[in-house]
Amino acid sequence: VAQPLGLTPMDESAKSSSESSGDDQGRLGASNQKVDEATYRFIVESELKQLLAFADCAADFIRALSRTAEVKSHPPQTILCNQGAPGTALLLVLRGTITGYVDGQAVVKLQAGQYVGEANMFGIVHHWGMTLMTDASCTICEVCRQDFMDAFSSHPVEQPLFQPILDIGRSKRKLTEGTLNNPCMLLKGLSRHALEKVDQRMAHRVFFKGEKLVEEGKPSNCLQ
């Protein structure tokens, strides 16, 4: 689902930090703290089991992901990634909260149990669609694309579950459906230049069976 992000202003201190920090690698940079390995392997496996993305996966598949996933602790106001930088990982918040910024504007807040970057992990997109910054001390679990593909290739039972999603990443046209290709009714009549601007602000997310797209009564400034 292509989801345009909102326009909540970002405060100047966060904007300044966002412009001066970050890591340009697909995997996040090293943090000053590392969670004890035996502890975080147990935590990661337990947390991954809770995600609807892996709800139909066997325990062996989840265990394989947990062995290679990285868990890092970060202090407040840490830039986890910069908008536009290469990105290949799903980031799951284990503790604390993080805020996502697009073009210097706060657009989403994630707390423990929530994740972002699943489209990066699946290879649908290859760059971060937003800058992510910790609001407070945070612990983040990171599952990168290569680790996912290694587990995927060695567990044939899970392959039918994820192959249709991986195929989307091979079709650039599918990523622009509703904007540049076959514009939705709301966007029809806009110039090509305007459609390109809208498309650039799209955040591609993958939703799984049982996930809520919208929630009645909950404020939202997004078009899905």
Side-chain angles (χ1 to χ4, degrees):
V1 176
Q3 176 181 342
L5 299 173
L7 301 172
T8 305
M10 173 182 180
D11 65 51
E12 290 302 316
S13 62
K15 183 174 181 180
S16 175
S17 178
S18 171
E19 292 172 347
S20 61
S21 304
D23 187 274
D24 289 336
Q25 302 303 313
R27 184 182 282 281
L28 300 185
S31 66
N32 293 330
Q33 305 176 51
K34 279 259 187 167
V35 180
D36 174 74
E37 183 172 352
T39 300
Y40 83 63
R41 293 303 173 198
F42 174 79
I43 293 173
V44 169
E45 186 172 347
S46 299
E47 291 292 333
L48 291 179
K49 286 179 181 178
Q50 304 303 313
L51 300 186
L52 290 176
F54 304 120
D56 295 325
C57 296
D60 285 348
F61 180 83
I62 296 176
R63 191 170 299 115
L65 289 181
S66 69
R67 291 193 191 106
T68 53
E70 290 194 9
V71 173
K72 302 171 184 175
S73 292
H74 302 274
Q77 303 300 301
T78 297
I79 300 293
L80 301 177
C81 60
N82 278 321
Q83 181 182 353
T88 64
L90 176 150
L91 305 182
L92 169 63
V93 182
L94 300 179
R95 178 179 61 88
T97 60
I98 63 176
T99 299
Y101 301 90
V102 174
D103 297 337
Q105 299 169 340
V107 296
V108 66
K109 186 178 291 289
L110 301 174
Q111 56 189 358
Q114 296 181 311
Y115 62 89
V116 68
E118 71 288 342
N120 298 69
M121 183 187 71
F122 289 130
I124 296 174
V125 295
H126 303 278
H127 294 79
W128 292 109
M130 64 184 76
T131 294
L132 295 173
M133 179 190 292
T134 61
D135 299 323
S137 295
C138 288
T139 302
I140 307 294
C141 170
E142 180 183 354
V143 182
C144 76
R145 183 186 307 155
Q146 187 59 58
D147 294 337
F148 170 80
M149 292 305 299
D150 289 344
F152 174 81
S153 62
S154 60
H155 291 78
V157 174
E158 274 68 37
Q159 291 176 9
L161 298 175
F162 296 111
Q163 191 61 58
I165 300 174
L166 298 176
D167 289 342
I168 294 175
R170 300 187 177 99
S171 174
K172 292 184 178 180
R173 182 179 177 85
K174 289 184 178 179
L175 297 180
T176 57
E177 286 291 331
T179 53
L180 300 181
N181 295 301
N182 301 319
C184 67
M185 185 64 67
L186 185 64
L187 301 180
K188 282 186 176 180
L190 294 181
S191 68
R192 181 71 178 184
H193 177 72
L195 289 174
E196 289 174 350
K197 290 295 185 182
V198 172
D199 190 72
Q200 290 170 6
R201 293 185 62 82
M202 289 290 181
H204 294 87
R205 300 297 310 271
V206 180
F207 293 93
F208 296 87
K209 181 180 178 180
E211 285 192 87
K212 294 180 181 179
L213 299 182
V214 294
E215 191 170 346
E216 183 178 2
K218 186 176 181 179
S220 175
N221 56 7
C222 296
L223 168 71
Q224 296 184 331

